[in-house]
Amino acid sequence: MRNLLKVVVAAVAVFLVSQSAFAADKVLMVVSSHQKLGTTNEATGFWLSELTHPYFVVKKAGLDITIASIKGGEAPIDPRSLANMDKDTKAFLGNPNTRKLIDRTPALASLKVGQFKAIVFVGGHGAMWDFPSNKAANRLAVGIYQRGGIVAAVCHGPAALTTLTLPNGKKLIAGKKVTGFSNAEESAMKLTNVVPFSLEDKLKAAGATYESGPMWKSEVVVDGRVITGQNPSSAHDLGVAVAKALGH
């Protein structure tokens, strides 16, 4: 009987240790797999700096990162985001160890909720097409949030947030303060009539209180465990906010 008790105690101890370590330091970053900019002949995808800026911030904070795309495989970089490369984007693409993270991404649907403490939806216009109403995005983001984790998104990444629905039927961002690429910024890019919807309007329709700062300037909104950034300039600060929310 005493030996049996020792076995049970040891098993419980192993379980508790594994649970405490489980997903303790892991962040999931999600990029788009969509490559065509509406009915134009232009290519799109994810915005490179909106991945690399928070990636390096979060990595430096000591967190592990998985980069996944909607479909898996090679994730398309929006060509326009390659026009003004900075040290982070150059470092990410120039290092085979990081470059392979976007060349061979796992499909979002293949991942499990319990692996992660936070999910970050990376922007780029592609997100406007394949983030909303994606079942895997909803399962993972809602699951992470319900387990006490962080849901974050930057620029067009909040397109995913517009359809995230809790088990009770309520939108996850209802009653939350959020930001995302503004109508003014979309108009300045002359893409208002190209994108499938207004991100600003759709966030409001989901019950969120939309906030924005000056165009092209960093603006990060933190409302509890929902963290959003307005535009590419906000990506670094979004990473800082995510790391801070995770205690790093």
Side-chain angles (χ1 to χ4, degrees):
M1 187 66 179
R2 189 172 296 175
N3 289 336
L4 177 60
L5 182 59
K6 288 181 179 179
V7 171
V8 171
V9 170
V12 170
V14 169
F15 174 78
L16 291 175
V17 170
S18 66
Q19 287 298 100
S20 64
F22 193 48
D25 297 310
K26 199 146 204 177
V27 175
L28 173 60
M29 301 188 74
V30 185
V31 296
S32 174
S33 293
H34 188 83
Q35 300 183 55
K36 186 179 179 183
L37 189 61
T39 57
T40 71
N41 292 321
E42 296 182 45
T44 189
F46 72 91
W47 201 265
L48 185 58
S49 65
E50 292 172 21
L51 171 70
T52 61
H53 288 183
Y55 174 89
F56 284 118
V57 170
V58 170
K59 196 73 175 174
K60 187 176 180 179
L63 294 148
D64 289 334
I65 301 168
T66 293
I67 300 173
S69 64
I70 297 298
K71 293 182 178 179
E74 184 177 355
I77 302 171
D78 189 312
R80 292 168 301 168
S81 69
L82 300 172
N84 296 299
M85 299 273 282
D86 59 21
K87 63 181 181 63
D88 281 351
T89 52
K90 289 177 182 177
F92 191 94
L93 291 184
N95 186 334
N97 292 324
T98 46
R99 177 65 196 239
K100 70 181 181 182
L101 299 178
I102 56 174
D103 286 343
R104 298 190 294 274
T105 63
L108 193 61
S110 69
L111 303 177
K112 297 179 180 179
V113 170
Q115 295 174 268
F116 308 101
K117 285 289 187 181
I119 185 169
V120 179
F121 291 100
V122 176
H125 278 92
M128 295 286 279
W129 278 269
D130 62 359
F131 278 10
S133 300
N134 181 271
K135 291 181 180 179
N138 193 87
R139 173 178 60 82
L140 287 159
V142 170
I144 290 168
Y145 187 78
Q146 288 189 305
R147 291 165 66 107
I150 307 299
V151 174
V154 63
C155 199
H156 287 91
L161 277 54
T162 63
T163 56
L164 295 182
T165 306
L166 299 169
N168 63 5
K170 182 181 178 181
K171 290 288 192 293
L172 188 148
I173 60 171
K176 298 285 187 184
K177 295 177 182 177
V178 301
T179 190
F181 207 61
S182 67
N183 286 343
E185 287 166 321
E186 204 71 86
S187 177
M189 292 194 71
K190 302 187 186 307
L191 291 174
T192 301
N193 296 321
V194 174
V195 292
F197 56 87
S198 155
L199 179 56
E200 179 180 328
D201 293 353
K202 195 106 172 200
L203 289 167
K204 293 175 181 176
T209 299
Y210 177 84
E211 299 182 348
S212 65
M215 290 199 302
W216 319 122
K217 301 294 185 181
S218 178
E219 177 74 13
V220 173
V221 175
V222 179
D223 192 339
R225 290 180 289 108
V226 176
I227 302 173
T228 47
Q230 181 176 326
N231 47 39
S233 299
S234 311
H236 175 276
D237 292 341
L238 180 104
V240 172
V242 170
K244 182 179 179 180
L246 292 172
H248 288 255

